[in-house]
Amino acid sequence: MLFRSIAEENLNAREAEVRKAGAYNHPNLLPVIGYCDEDGGGAGATRRSCIIYPLMVRSLEEQLAGGQGVPDLPYQERVRILAEVFSGIVALHDPAVGGSSMVHRDIKTANVLLDKDMRALVGDFGLVRNIPKLTESATRTHTETVNIIGTQQYMAPEFLRGGTISSKMDVFACGIVALELLTGRPSR
C-alpha cells in the first residue's frame, strides 16, 4: 500500500511538471514534446509516466566540466549562454508569458541544457511554484514557509534561514550560475 502511495505522488509530481512546463512557449525554456501516462498492465501494477523533451547535447554543468570531446567555451559564447538563461528565467517570472508568475527554485548548471547549436534552455520544472498575483497592497516578494528543497549551493541565504519563496531565489541562483559560467569553476 505504501509503494502505491509513493507511486501516485510521483505521478502527480510528473503531471504537475508537464502542466507547468507546457504553459510556457519561450526559446530558452525546455518544451514538453509529449507525455504518456498508463497503468502497468495487470492487477496491482503501478502507473507509469514519461515526459518527452527534445534531445539535448549536454547540460551546462557537463560542458563546464569539460572532458573528452567537449570543446572549451569562448568568453563571448559564455556571455550569450548566460543571457539565454536570464531570458528563460525572466519568462518564468512574467505572467504575460505563461499565464502566471512562477519561480523555478532549482536554477543550477545541471538544469541548464544545451542543444546541438549550443542554445541554452532552462529545464527541470519539478520544483516550480506559482507566485500569487499581486494586489495593490502587496509587495513583489511572496513569502511562505516551506521545506527547504533544491541544491544548497545555489540557494539564497535568506531562503536557507527562513524558507521564503520569491523570484529573488532565482535571481540569486542565476548569479551563482553566472559566476560558474564566467570563471569556469564550480560553486562548491
Side-chain angles (χ1 to χ4, degrees), residues 10-144:
N10 289 341
L11 183 63
N12 291 338
R14 285 201 180 230
E15 288 173 354
E17 182 173 354
V18 168
R19 281 192 303 277
K20 290 171 186 174
Y24 290 84
N25 182 14
H26 187 274
N28 300 114
L29 295 175
L30 190 65
V32 173
I33 293 175
Y35 175 73
C36 178
D37 175 24
E38 61 183 35
D39 64 34
T46 59
R47 295 182 64 92
R48 296 180 296 195
S49 66
C50 176
I51 304 173
I52 304 167
Y53 293 104
L55 178 65
M56 304 303 284
V57 175
R58 67 182 61 90
S59 71
L60 182 56
E61 179 181 58
E62 293 166 332
Q63 180 70 41
L64 293 174
Q68 189 173 11
V70 178
D72 191 30
L73 290 172
Y75 184 75
Q76 296 85 352
E77 191 82 355
R78 292 172 188 254
V79 171
R80 182 194 53 76
I81 289 171
L82 189 57
E84 291 173 350
V85 171
F86 290 167
S87 178
I89 295 305
V90 167
L92 271 180
H93 294 175
D94 185 355
V97 176
S100 64
S101 287
M102 305 290 268
V103 63
H104 188 280
R105 299 195 315 152
D106 201 20
I107 300 298
K108 58 185 177 180
T109 54
N111 289 339
V112 174
L113 304 173
L114 303 171
D115 69 9
K116 64 181 176 39
D117 299 319
M118 296 298 287
R119 181 173 54 118
L121 288 91
V122 176
D124 191 353
F125 298 96
L127 298 182
V128 169
R129 294 277 295 268
N130 283 326
I131 300 174
K133 290 184 179 180
L134 300 174
T135 62
E136 286 186 30
S137 62
T139 64
R140 283 299 272 169
T141 302
H142 170 64
T143 60
E144 176 182 345

